Amino acid sequence: MNDPIPDVLAPAKLGPVTLRNRIVKAATYEGLSKKSLVTDELIEFHVRHAAGGVGMTTVAYCAVAPDGRTHRKQLLWTDEALPGMRELTDAVHAEGAAVAAQIGHARPVANPKGNGAPALAPGRRFHATSMSFTKAATRADLERVVQGHARAGRMAIEAGFDAVEIHLGHNYLASAFLSPKLNHRKDEYGGPLANRAWLSRDIARAVRDAVGDRIAITAKLNMDDGVPGGFWLDEAVQVARWLEADGSLDALELTAGSSLVNPMYLFKGDAPIHEFAAVMPQPIRLGVKLVGRRFLREYPYEDLYLLKDARQIHAAVTMPLILLGYVDGYGFLYFGGRSGDWIRVDSENISALLTQNVVRRHPKVVDAVAFGVPDPRSGDQVMAAIEIPEGVEFEDLGLPAFLAVEDDLGTKGAPRFVRVSHALPATGSGKLRKKEMQLEGWRTGDPVYRWAGRGAPEYALMTGAEKAALRAEFAAAGRQRFLP
């Protein structure tokens, strides 16, 4: 991970496609399609992301066969769907962004009752959400699925998409075959990893053969199913190597968790039991309320929780990786596969985590966080919030002298603003409320010290008049919307 840090806002190549920046809106199913067709609402949804500046938005979920949908309303690759898909891609392109289609087959995650067809799987197993049993896929079934992906790739070109993303994660059909927990087959698709990976590799090769270099091809791959006996990182590393050696992909997107047996492993945090139950029919709704916590297990949230595994994939392959991130409720963007939250200072990317870790080294600092706040002219400035013991004052820290000798920090990484408190806002578990403090910026009621950013660090307490003058700088530059 010592490679030069790319500028996420600079143009980038993805196979034959040039993206205006490296930010890709991930594939998520919003329930905005109807009768497996594009709707005006779905077009508007993706146009909003394109107008907001993403390099590429991803349309999901686009099933390669009717029995591959998780919901009967989901998009399906049919001649009837093509005009709406073309309207969507044209609208996104008009905003200057590229657009990808996520293609895949959801079985055994699919809804057999809604689709009117049994759920395909590596073998027969009980399907809890539909109270039915899956059907063991035959070789003919698997060949049909492979060719369905190839056909979807060709239709994506016809519909004007710039890329397709092959779904090899979350225990959808191809991912279920990868899992030793779900795949107990005795034929050429079961047993050793090379056999379990055959379906994923066949699909990717078929798509490449179908589209050539006319559009980009990516794949979403699990690094970890999150269940004992499931697909794990050591196997994911090998599958990533095989996919690269096959030459099928232009990039690999890394994910985790199982929509089938452990969905919260990817999302972390509180499990939405009541919300999940509310969209289920009876009697499943009652069952979810009664025993849902056994299925929707909770995992404590931590920043960059996919980073450790992503680094191992990064070390094993040379093809580009698409790394998951998220936008919080305040609209701040976080990258889940880099070594920190990046702050744009004077056209350079600065690691908030590096600044944070350096400040935490101070022997009199109890805790600290670092984040970006807008600059009144362009980009961002670095701000730190520090907690110090009762009876200790900011002037007692000698922070300028301390920062001046921290060689790994650099002058642009030194905080321009420092919020000082004896009790920073924290959750019940003691985790500092970083996003809340970032939203407040220097408007907080706690003392804030500012350094002009020239020469050696030197901080002065901001007065009310100075904060008002700083707000006036934003107004003069027409950047009021960026005010913290």
PDB file of all heavy atoms in Angstrom, residues 12-19 56 162-163 208 212-218 248-251 320 322:
ATOM      1  N   ALA A  12      -9.737   8.943 -14.830  1.00  0.00           N
ATOM      2  CA  ALA A  12      -9.107   7.628 -14.704  1.00  0.00           C
ATOM      3  C   ALA A  12      -9.606   6.718 -15.810  1.00  0.00           C
ATOM      4  O   ALA A  12     -10.736   6.860 -16.294  1.00  0.00           O
ATOM      5  CB  ALA A  12      -9.413   7.026 -13.332  1.00  0.00           C
ATOM      6  N   LYS A  13      -8.773   5.759 -16.194  1.00  0.00           N
ATOM      7  CA  LYS A  13      -9.132   4.784 -17.218  1.00  0.00           C
ATOM      8  C   LYS A  13      -9.689   3.526 -16.552  1.00  0.00           C
ATOM      9  O   LYS A  13      -9.135   3.021 -15.574  1.00  0.00           O
ATOM     10  CB  LYS A  13      -7.920   4.412 -18.053  1.00  0.00           C
ATOM     11  CG  LYS A  13      -7.429   5.519 -18.962  1.00  0.00           C
ATOM     12  CD  LYS A  13      -8.343   5.680 -20.177  1.00  0.00           C
ATOM     13  CE  LYS A  13      -8.235   4.501 -21.125  1.00  0.00           C
ATOM     14  NZ  LYS A  13      -9.081   4.686 -22.341  1.00  0.00           N
ATOM     15  N   LEU A  14     -10.798   3.042 -17.066  1.00  0.00           N
ATOM     16  CA  LEU A  14     -11.371   1.770 -16.657  1.00  0.00           C
ATOM     17  C   LEU A  14     -11.585   0.965 -17.932  1.00  0.00           C
ATOM     18  O   LEU A  14     -12.590   1.132 -18.635  1.00  0.00           O
ATOM     19  CB  LEU A  14     -12.693   1.978 -15.917  1.00  0.00           C
ATOM     20  CG  LEU A  14     -13.408   0.702 -15.447  1.00  0.00           C
ATOM     21  CD1 LEU A  14     -12.553  -0.052 -14.428  1.00  0.00           C
ATOM     22  CD2 LEU A  14     -14.766   1.027 -14.855  1.00  0.00           C
ATOM     23  N   GLY A  15     -10.618   0.122 -18.260  1.00  0.00           N
ATOM     24  CA  GLY A  15     -10.670  -0.574 -19.534  1.00  0.00           C
ATOM     25  C   GLY A  15     -10.716   0.429 -20.667  1.00  0.00           C
ATOM     26  O   GLY A  15      -9.894   1.356 -20.731  1.00  0.00           O
ATOM     27  N   PRO A  16     -11.682   0.332 -21.571  1.00  0.00           N
ATOM     28  CA  PRO A  16     -11.762   1.264 -22.697  1.00  0.00           C
ATOM     29  C   PRO A  16     -12.445   2.584 -22.353  1.00  0.00           C
ATOM     30  O   PRO A  16     -12.568   3.457 -23.213  1.00  0.00           O
ATOM     31  CB  PRO A  16     -12.597   0.481 -23.716  1.00  0.00           C
ATOM     32  CG  PRO A  16     -13.501  -0.354 -22.877  1.00  0.00           C
ATOM     33  CD  PRO A  16     -12.680  -0.746 -21.669  1.00  0.00           C
ATOM     34  N   VAL A  17     -12.879   2.739 -21.112  1.00  0.00           N
ATOM     35  CA  VAL A  17     -13.670   3.904 -20.708  1.00  0.00           C
ATOM     36  C   VAL A  17     -12.800   4.876 -19.915  1.00  0.00           C
ATOM     37  O   VAL A  17     -12.016   4.466 -19.055  1.00  0.00           O
ATOM     38  CB  VAL A  17     -14.881   3.485 -19.847  1.00  0.00           C
ATOM     39  CG1 VAL A  17     -15.721   4.695 -19.464  1.00  0.00           C
ATOM     40  CG2 VAL A  17     -15.719   2.456 -20.585  1.00  0.00           C
ATOM     41  N   THR A  18     -12.941   6.161 -20.195  1.00  0.00           N
ATOM     42  CA  THR A  18     -12.295   7.197 -19.388  1.00  0.00           C
ATOM     43  C   THR A  18     -13.352   7.837 -18.496  1.00  0.00           C
ATOM     44  O   THR A  18     -14.321   8.412 -18.982  1.00  0.00           O
ATOM     45  CB  THR A  18     -11.638   8.276 -20.265  1.00  0.00           C
ATOM     46  OG1 THR A  18     -10.620   7.666 -21.063  1.00  0.00           O
ATOM     47  CG2 THR A  18     -10.994   9.362 -19.398  1.00  0.00           C
ATOM     48  N   LEU A  19     -13.163   7.703 -17.194  1.00  0.00           N
ATOM     49  CA  LEU A  19     -14.072   8.300 -16.222  1.00  0.00           C
ATOM     50  C   LEU A  19     -13.580   9.683 -15.840  1.00  0.00           C
ATOM     51  O   LEU A  19     -12.372   9.914 -15.759  1.00  0.00           O
ATOM     52  CB  LEU A  19     -14.170   7.430 -14.970  1.00  0.00           C
ATOM     53  CG  LEU A  19     -14.549   5.956 -15.176  1.00  0.00           C
ATOM     54  CD1 LEU A  19     -14.572   5.237 -13.831  1.00  0.00           C
ATOM     55  CD2 LEU A  19     -15.875   5.839 -15.886  1.00  0.00           C
ATOM     56  N   MET A  56     -18.986   7.553 -12.347  1.00  0.00           N
ATOM     57  CA  MET A  56     -19.851   6.535 -12.945  1.00  0.00           C
ATOM     58  C   MET A  56     -20.894   6.123 -11.923  1.00  0.00           C
ATOM     59  O   MET A  56     -20.612   6.014 -10.734  1.00  0.00           O
ATOM     60  CB  MET A  56     -19.037   5.313 -13.397  1.00  0.00           C
ATOM     61  CG  MET A  56     -19.859   4.250 -14.123  1.00  0.00           C
ATOM     62  SD  MET A  56     -18.826   3.020 -14.981  1.00  0.00           S
ATOM     63  CE  MET A  56     -18.149   2.123 -13.574  1.00  0.00           C
ATOM     64  N   ASP A 162     -21.649   1.924 -20.434  1.00  0.00           N
ATOM     65  CA  ASP A 162     -20.191   2.014 -20.587  1.00  0.00           C
ATOM     66  C   ASP A 162     -19.483   0.818 -19.969  1.00  0.00           C
ATOM     67  O   ASP A 162     -18.309   0.563 -20.265  1.00  0.00           O
ATOM     68  CB  ASP A 162     -19.673   3.293 -19.918  1.00  0.00           C
ATOM     69  CG  ASP A 162     -20.330   4.530 -20.478  1.00  0.00           C
ATOM     70  OD1 ASP A 162     -19.967   4.933 -21.587  1.00  0.00           O
ATOM     71  OD2 ASP A 162     -21.227   5.088 -19.802  1.00  0.00           O
ATOM     72  N   ALA A 163     -20.162   0.109 -19.068  1.00  0.00           N
ATOM     73  CA  ALA A 163     -19.536  -0.995 -18.347  1.00  0.00           C
ATOM     74  C   ALA A 163     -20.613  -1.933 -17.826  1.00  0.00           C
ATOM     75  O   ALA A 163     -21.793  -1.565 -17.715  1.00  0.00           O
ATOM     76  CB  ALA A 163     -18.700  -0.465 -17.176  1.00  0.00           C
ATOM     77  N   ARG A 208     -16.584 -11.488 -21.421  1.00  0.00           N
ATOM     78  CA  ARG A 208     -15.473 -10.913 -22.189  1.00  0.00           C
ATOM     79  C   ARG A 208     -15.555 -11.333 -23.653  1.00  0.00           C
ATOM     80  O   ARG A 208     -15.362 -10.507 -24.563  1.00  0.00           O
ATOM     81  CB  ARG A 208     -14.134 -11.339 -21.589  1.00  0.00           C
ATOM     82  CG  ARG A 208     -12.913 -10.895 -22.382  1.00  0.00           C
ATOM     83  CD  ARG A 208     -12.832  -9.385 -22.502  1.00  0.00           C
ATOM     84  NE  ARG A 208     -12.404  -8.773 -21.255  1.00  0.00           N
ATOM     85  CZ  ARG A 208     -12.414  -7.468 -21.019  1.00  0.00           C
ATOM     86  NH1 ARG A 208     -12.861  -6.634 -21.956  1.00  0.00           N
ATOM     87  NH2 ARG A 208     -12.027  -6.983 -19.853  1.00  0.00           N
ATOM     88  N   GLY A 212     -15.933  -8.157 -25.897  1.00  0.00           N
ATOM     89  CA  GLY A 212     -14.595  -7.739 -26.292  1.00  0.00           C
ATOM     90  C   GLY A 212     -14.119  -6.563 -25.477  1.00  0.00           C
ATOM     91  O   GLY A 212     -14.229  -6.561 -24.249  1.00  0.00           O
ATOM     92  N   ASP A 213     -13.603  -5.542 -26.158  1.00  0.00           N
ATOM     93  CA  ASP A 213     -13.124  -4.333 -25.491  1.00  0.00           C
ATOM     94  C   ASP A 213     -14.051  -3.147 -25.745  1.00  0.00           C
ATOM     95  O   ASP A 213     -13.647  -1.993 -25.602  1.00  0.00           O
ATOM     96  CB  ASP A 213     -11.714  -3.982 -25.971  1.00  0.00           C
ATOM     97  CG  ASP A 213     -10.691  -5.032 -25.549  1.00  0.00           C
ATOM     98  OD1 ASP A 213     -10.842  -5.575 -24.443  1.00  0.00           O
ATOM     99  OD2 ASP A 213      -9.763  -5.308 -26.326  1.00  0.00           O
ATOM    100  N   ARG A 214     -15.294  -3.429 -26.096  1.00  0.00           N
ATOM    101  CA  ARG A 214     -16.208  -2.327 -26.415  1.00  0.00           C
ATOM    102  C   ARG A 214     -16.700  -1.614 -25.163  1.00  0.00           C
ATOM    103  O   ARG A 214     -17.003  -0.417 -25.215  1.00  0.00           O
ATOM    104  CB  ARG A 214     -17.388  -2.860 -27.238  1.00  0.00           C
ATOM    105  CG  ARG A 214     -17.011  -3.238 -28.668  1.00  0.00           C
ATOM    106  CD  ARG A 214     -18.160  -3.902 -29.387  1.00  0.00           C
ATOM    107  NE  ARG A 214     -18.413  -5.256 -28.870  1.00  0.00           N
ATOM    108  CZ  ARG A 214     -19.404  -6.031 -29.282  1.00  0.00           C
ATOM    109  NH1 ARG A 214     -20.247  -5.584 -30.207  1.00  0.00           N
ATOM    110  NH2 ARG A 214     -19.566  -7.241 -28.778  1.00  0.00           N
ATOM    111  N   ILE A 215     -16.831  -2.327 -24.054  1.00  0.00           N
ATOM    112  CA  ILE A 215     -17.188  -1.717 -22.773  1.00  0.00           C
ATOM    113  C   ILE A 215     -16.291  -2.316 -21.696  1.00  0.00           C
ATOM    114  O   ILE A 215     -15.630  -3.334 -21.908  1.00  0.00           O
ATOM    115  CB  ILE A 215     -18.671  -1.944 -22.400  1.00  0.00           C
ATOM    116  CG1 ILE A 215     -18.989  -3.433 -22.323  1.00  0.00           C
ATOM    117  CG2 ILE A 215     -19.588  -1.236 -23.380  1.00  0.00           C
ATOM    118  CD1 ILE A 215     -20.404  -3.725 -21.848  1.00  0.00           C
ATOM    119  N   ALA A 216     -16.270  -1.673 -20.530  1.00  0.00           N
ATOM    120  CA  ALA A 216     -15.476  -2.174 -19.414  1.00  0.00           C
ATOM    121  C   ALA A 216     -16.225  -3.294 -18.697  1.00  0.00           C
ATOM    122  O   ALA A 216     -17.458  -3.330 -18.676  1.00  0.00           O
ATOM    123  CB  ALA A 216     -15.177  -1.040 -18.436  1.00  0.00           C
ATOM    124  N   ILE A 217     -15.460  -4.214 -18.107  1.00  0.00           N
ATOM    125  CA  ILE A 217     -16.036  -5.317 -17.340  1.00  0.00           C
ATOM    126  C   ILE A 217     -15.412  -5.318 -15.947  1.00  0.00           C
ATOM    127  O   ILE A 217     -14.191  -5.364 -15.804  1.00  0.00           O
ATOM    128  CB  ILE A 217     -15.772  -6.679 -18.006  1.00  0.00           C
ATOM    129  CG1 ILE A 217     -16.273  -6.694 -19.443  1.00  0.00           C
ATOM    130  CG2 ILE A 217     -16.436  -7.796 -17.197  1.00  0.00           C
ATOM    131  CD1 ILE A 217     -15.897  -7.962 -20.192  1.00  0.00           C
ATOM    132  N   THR A 218     -16.256  -5.251 -14.946  1.00  0.00           N
ATOM    133  CA  THR A 218     -15.803  -5.389 -13.564  1.00  0.00           C
ATOM    134  C   THR A 218     -16.575  -6.535 -12.925  1.00  0.00           C
ATOM    135  O   THR A 218     -17.556  -7.033 -13.481  1.00  0.00           O
ATOM    136  CB  THR A 218     -16.027  -4.099 -12.753  1.00  0.00           C
ATOM    137  OG1 THR A 218     -17.437  -3.904 -12.543  1.00  0.00           O
ATOM    138  CG2 THR A 218     -15.447  -2.888 -13.472  1.00  0.00           C
ATOM    139  N   SER A 248     -10.294 -11.555 -17.996  1.00  0.00           N
ATOM    140  CA  SER A 248     -11.717 -11.285 -18.196  1.00  0.00           C
ATOM    141  C   SER A 248     -12.147  -9.920 -17.691  1.00  0.00           C
ATOM    142  O   SER A 248     -13.157  -9.382 -18.156  1.00  0.00           O
ATOM    143  CB  SER A 248     -12.555 -12.357 -17.489  1.00  0.00           C
ATOM    144  OG  SER A 248     -12.200 -13.650 -17.919  1.00  0.00           O
ATOM    145  N   LEU A 249     -11.427  -9.359 -16.731  1.00  0.00           N
ATOM    146  CA  LEU A 249     -11.891  -8.171 -16.024  1.00  0.00           C
ATOM    147  C   LEU A 249     -10.975  -6.978 -16.235  1.00  0.00           C
ATOM    148  O   LEU A 249      -9.765  -7.130 -16.418  1.00  0.00           O
ATOM    149  CB  LEU A 249     -11.994  -8.451 -14.520  1.00  0.00           C
ATOM    150  CG  LEU A 249     -12.853  -9.639 -14.078  1.00  0.00           C
ATOM    151  CD1 LEU A 249     -12.795  -9.780 -12.562  1.00  0.00           C
ATOM    152  CD2 LEU A 249     -14.285  -9.486 -14.558  1.00  0.00           C
ATOM    153  N   ASP A 250     -11.579  -5.790 -16.171  1.00  0.00           N
ATOM    154  CA  ASP A 250     -10.810  -4.543 -16.154  1.00  0.00           C
ATOM    155  C   ASP A 250     -10.593  -4.038 -14.738  1.00  0.00           C
ATOM    156  O   ASP A 250      -9.701  -3.220 -14.500  1.00  0.00           O
ATOM    157  CB  ASP A 250     -11.543  -3.473 -16.970  1.00  0.00           C
ATOM    158  CG  ASP A 250     -11.629  -3.848 -18.441  1.00  0.00           C
ATOM    159  OD1 ASP A 250     -10.561  -4.049 -19.046  1.00  0.00           O
ATOM    160  OD2 ASP A 250     -12.748  -3.960 -18.965  1.00  0.00           O
ATOM    161  N   ALA A 251     -11.399  -4.496 -13.795  1.00  0.00           N
ATOM    162  CA  ALA A 251     -11.241  -4.110 -12.394  1.00  0.00           C
ATOM    163  C   ALA A 251     -12.050  -5.069 -11.539  1.00  0.00           C
ATOM    164  O   ALA A 251     -12.985  -5.729 -12.015  1.00  0.00           O
ATOM    165  CB  ALA A 251     -11.694  -2.673 -12.146  1.00  0.00           C
ATOM    166  N   PRO A 320      -6.761  -3.044 -11.431  1.00  0.00           N
ATOM    167  CA  PRO A 320      -7.360  -2.023 -10.564  1.00  0.00           C
ATOM    168  C   PRO A 320      -8.422  -2.616  -9.647  1.00  0.00           C
ATOM    169  O   PRO A 320      -9.112  -3.580  -9.997  1.00  0.00           O
ATOM    170  CB  PRO A 320      -7.986  -1.039 -11.557  1.00  0.00           C
ATOM    171  CG  PRO A 320      -7.248  -1.259 -12.840  1.00  0.00           C
ATOM    172  CD  PRO A 320      -6.903  -2.713 -12.855  1.00  0.00           C
ATOM    173  N   ILE A 322     -11.794  -1.663  -7.134  1.00  0.00           N
ATOM    174  CA  ILE A 322     -12.831  -0.704  -6.756  1.00  0.00           C
ATOM    175  C   ILE A 322     -13.158  -0.985  -5.301  1.00  0.00           C
ATOM    176  O   ILE A 322     -13.567  -2.087  -4.947  1.00  0.00           O
ATOM    177  CB  ILE A 322     -14.086  -0.860  -7.638  1.00  0.00           C
ATOM    178  CG1 ILE A 322     -13.719  -0.612  -9.103  1.00  0.00           C
ATOM    179  CG2 ILE A 322     -15.184   0.097  -7.192  1.00  0.00           C
ATOM    180  CD1 ILE A 322     -14.851  -0.907 -10.073  1.00  0.00           C
TER     181      ILE A 322
END
